[in-house]
Amino acid sequence: MQMRSALSDIHQSPPARLAGPHLGPPRWTFGATEDPPCPSPGLGKMQPLDLYNLNCCGCVSVFLGGPACSTLPCPVLHYSIFLHRLDTMVPLGPLHGACRTLLISLLLGCCLLPPDVQGQEYLLRVEPQDPVVPARGSLLVNCSTDCPNPEFITLETSLLKEPVSNGLSWMAFQLSNVTGDSKVLCVSFCNGSQMTSSSDITVYRFPEHVELAPLSPWQPVGKNLTLRCWVAGGAPRTHLSVLLLRGEEELSRQQAVGEPAEVTTTVLASRDDHGANFSCRSELDLRPQGLGLFQNSSAPRQLRTFVLPVTSPRLTVPRFLEVGTSGPLACSLDELFPASEAQVQLALGNQMLNTSVLSQGDTLTATATATASAEQEGAREIVCNVTLGSESREIRKNLTIYSFWGPTVNLSGTIVNLTEPTVPEGTTVNVTCAAGARVQVTLDGVPAVAPGQLAQLQINTTERDDRRSFFCNATLEIDGIILRRNRSVQLHVLYGPKIDPAKCPQHLTWKDRTIHVLQCQARGNPEPQLQCFQESSGFQVPVGIPFRVRLNYNGTYCCRAVSSQGTHTLTVVMNVQDRNSPVVTIFMAVLAILGLVTVIAALLHIFRVRKRNDSYHVNQGSSTWLPLTSKRPNEVLGEEPS
């Protein structure tokens, strides 16, 4: 009979009555109901066992019903006798699973493992020794001995087993559905001596789930970052480690403890961590068991770090903005990281502005254009908000939006030309100067009665008002600042042509064949055309242009200025004199004769002087010589030389 069958019979035996008059712990007994003395070696009966008093020294306290066993040590029990009577053991009361396990352990430990078998001659082996198998896997266990004639070989385990093969000194068992760590025991007898050998089965499981806790969307640089990892499942835990990684850099390695295992570590966030991937990895190291290193990693999580200075941004805005106009806005912030990922919002009151953002290094600059409308007139705030990560910085500045239309200058009357205000001479014209509310206007130095009211001027146009300019000055005070604006308009007055006698001489005396200019001017609006004609011949002389005077230009001229407003004439008398009169001719002839006489006299005088100063040559061929004497021209002939 196999050992497992015997033990199974114990588990499956029907419950019996409780032995004894008391309700004590359950007792196990063999088929005999009497309590004879303990058998000697080789006998087939045993006394009732009290497992609660069992010790490993012997059976003396095991048998409540047999005090004779007090002198009988366990080694005297022959295992074959025990096996022979094991099938007659009947429980006297119900026994739980834990008790059954305890019973088997006590039986194997006390009655099957006597102390003096340590010196047994032959060995019993279990193969494989301390194996590692996957969860719900199977295992082939072999019990073998070097005993030449073993009496019995069996395998004791709580796992499902099935003999698959055997030999004279060995027996193999197939273990299946191994779900947890277990201990198996090989038992055999050789020459009446018991042999045992055990092996520990370790079950390994891969982690079912490895997850890194979500990171903060943005982590400030210089602040501690806590990494947290959960690992569910995985065995054996003594070989299971949990690693926290930055990229492939190992930050922490800890043994998995608890279910699920939770591992944490803290790192100091830096700029270099921006964009870095963090992950968690489990390592089941079964290399000592010859299996290898099994890794399971979580999905990586990317970290974004940022630096946002505590200082507020710099905001540049105009102090005033007129309705209908636009002004530039600029907002900047330094020492920002990463500046390219910052968000900037510029707003005029509740109106979000279209913003252009430029980042250069750690500096961020945002620009926008604010356009003022009539609905926003008054004091408004310009808001600049810079957001990076989970923090933001904001600055506000005031902007005053004002309405300052005009000033406008209006002319009322008989206006001929709207583009250039034109009125006929003698027309009454009203000039008004106006601007917006709270604006003080002044027209040609005359102020209005009060701010917001008109300034007026009335005139009766004359020739002097032509091209007259009217000046309108407007002033507006905003927050202690005086704003000024000017506008002017020119009035054109239509009047008839006029020739000014002071600018057009009426009597002219010129010489024949000389060049002169007839200086004559006429005024009027529109500007008149001026022409001068000789009354006798109708000959026209140019006006304002140089010309050569002839004798036939002599006479009376009519100068006429003509325009759409009328005609004006002026008489001019031109006296042209001949250049060669008789007196002049005689005088010129006398001068010519005198000049000729003078020239002739001069030539004669020069001739005489040259003749008296001639040269003389001496004849050197004669030895006779005469002394030469010089005479001056004024000396008298016959006077002796001195």
Side-chain angles (χ1 to χ4, degrees), residues 231 233-234 236-242 254-258 261-263:
V231 177
R237 286 300 177 96
T238 55
H239 294 264
L240 183 61
S241 300
V242 182
Q254 303 177 37
Q255 185 174 348
V257 177
E262 181 177 330
V263 174

Coordinates of all heavy atoms in Angstrom, one line a residue, residues 231 233-234 236-242 254-258 261-263:
V231 N 3.4 47.9 -8.1 CA 3.7 46.6 -8.8 C 2.7 45.6 -8.2 O 2.7 45.3 -7.0 CB 5.1 46.1 -8.6 CG1 5.3 44.7 -9.2 CG2 6.1 47.1 -9.2
G233 N 1.2 41.7 -8.1 CA 1.6 40.3 -8.4 C 3.1 40.2 -8.4 O 3.9 41.1 -8.0
G234 N 3.6 39.0 -8.8 CA 5.0 38.7 -8.9 C 5.5 37.9 -7.7 O 5.2 38.3 -6.5
P236 N 8.9 34.9 -6.6 CA 8.9 35.1 -5.2 C 9.4 36.6 -4.9 O 10.2 37.1 -5.6 CB 9.9 34.1 -4.7 CG 10.8 33.9 -5.8 CD 10.0 34.0 -7.0
R237 N 8.8 37.2 -3.9 CA 9.1 38.6 -3.6 C 10.5 38.8 -3.2 O 11.0 39.9 -3.3 CB 8.1 39.1 -2.5 CG 6.7 39.3 -3.0 CD 6.7 40.3 -4.1 NE 5.4 40.5 -4.7 CZ 4.6 41.5 -4.4 NH1 4.9 42.3 -3.4 NH2 3.4 41.6 -5.0
T238 N 11.2 37.8 -2.7 CA 12.6 37.9 -2.3 C 13.5 38.1 -3.5 O 14.6 38.6 -3.3 CB 13.0 36.7 -1.5 OG1 12.8 35.5 -2.3 CG2 12.3 36.6 -0.2
H239 N 13.0 37.7 -4.6 CA 13.8 37.9 -5.9 C 13.2 39.0 -6.7 O 13.6 39.2 -7.9 CB 13.8 36.6 -6.7 CG 14.6 35.5 -6.0 ND1 15.9 35.2 -6.2 CD2 14.2 34.6 -5.0 CE1 16.3 34.2 -5.5 NE2 15.3 33.8 -4.7
L240 N 12.2 39.8 -6.3 CA 11.5 40.8 -7.1 C 11.9 42.2 -6.6 O 11.8 42.5 -5.4 CB 10.0 40.6 -6.9 CG 9.2 41.6 -7.8 CD1 9.5 41.4 -9.3 CD2 7.7 41.4 -7.5
S241 N 12.5 42.9 -7.5 CA 13.0 44.3 -7.2 C 12.2 45.3 -8.1 O 11.8 45.0 -9.2 CB 14.5 44.5 -7.5 OG 15.2 43.6 -6.7
V242 N 12.1 46.5 -7.6 CA 11.4 47.6 -8.3 C 12.4 48.7 -8.5 O 13.0 49.2 -7.5 CB 10.1 48.0 -7.5 CG1 9.4 49.1 -8.3 CG2 9.2 46.9 -7.3
Q254 N 14.5 49.0 -5.0 CA 13.9 48.6 -3.8 C 13.3 47.2 -4.0 O 12.8 46.9 -5.1 CB 12.9 49.6 -3.2 CG 13.5 51.0 -3.0 CD 12.4 51.9 -2.5 OE1 11.5 51.6 -1.7 NE2 12.5 53.2 -3.0
Q255 N 13.3 46.4 -2.9 CA 12.6 45.1 -3.0 C 11.1 45.3 -2.8 O 10.6 46.2 -2.1 CB 13.1 44.2 -1.8 CG 12.6 42.8 -1.9 CD 13.2 41.9 -0.9 OE1 14.2 42.3 -0.3 NE2 12.6 40.7 -0.7
A256 N 10.4 44.5 -3.6 CA 8.9 44.6 -3.6 C 8.4 44.0 -2.3 O 8.7 42.9 -1.9 CB 8.3 43.8 -4.8
V257 N 7.6 44.9 -1.6 CA 7.0 44.4 -0.3 C 5.5 44.8 -0.4 O 5.2 45.9 -0.8 CB 7.7 45.2 0.8 CG1 7.0 44.8 2.2 CG2 9.2 44.8 0.9
G258 N 4.7 43.9 0.1 CA 3.3 44.2 0.1 C 2.6 43.8 -1.2 O 3.2 43.6 -2.2
A261 N 2.9 46.1 -4.3 CA 4.1 46.7 -3.8 C 4.1 48.2 -4.2 O 3.8 48.5 -5.4 CB 5.3 46.0 -4.3
E262 N 4.4 49.0 -3.3 CA 4.5 50.5 -3.6 C 5.9 51.0 -3.3 O 6.4 50.8 -2.2 CB 3.5 51.3 -2.8 CG 3.5 52.8 -3.1 CD 2.4 53.5 -2.4 OE1 1.3 52.9 -2.1 OE2 2.6 54.7 -2.1
V263 N 6.5 51.6 -4.3 CA 7.9 52.0 -4.1 C 7.9 53.5 -4.5 O 7.3 53.9 -5.5 CB 8.8 51.3 -5.0 CG1 10.2 51.9 -5.0 CG2 8.9 49.8 -4.6

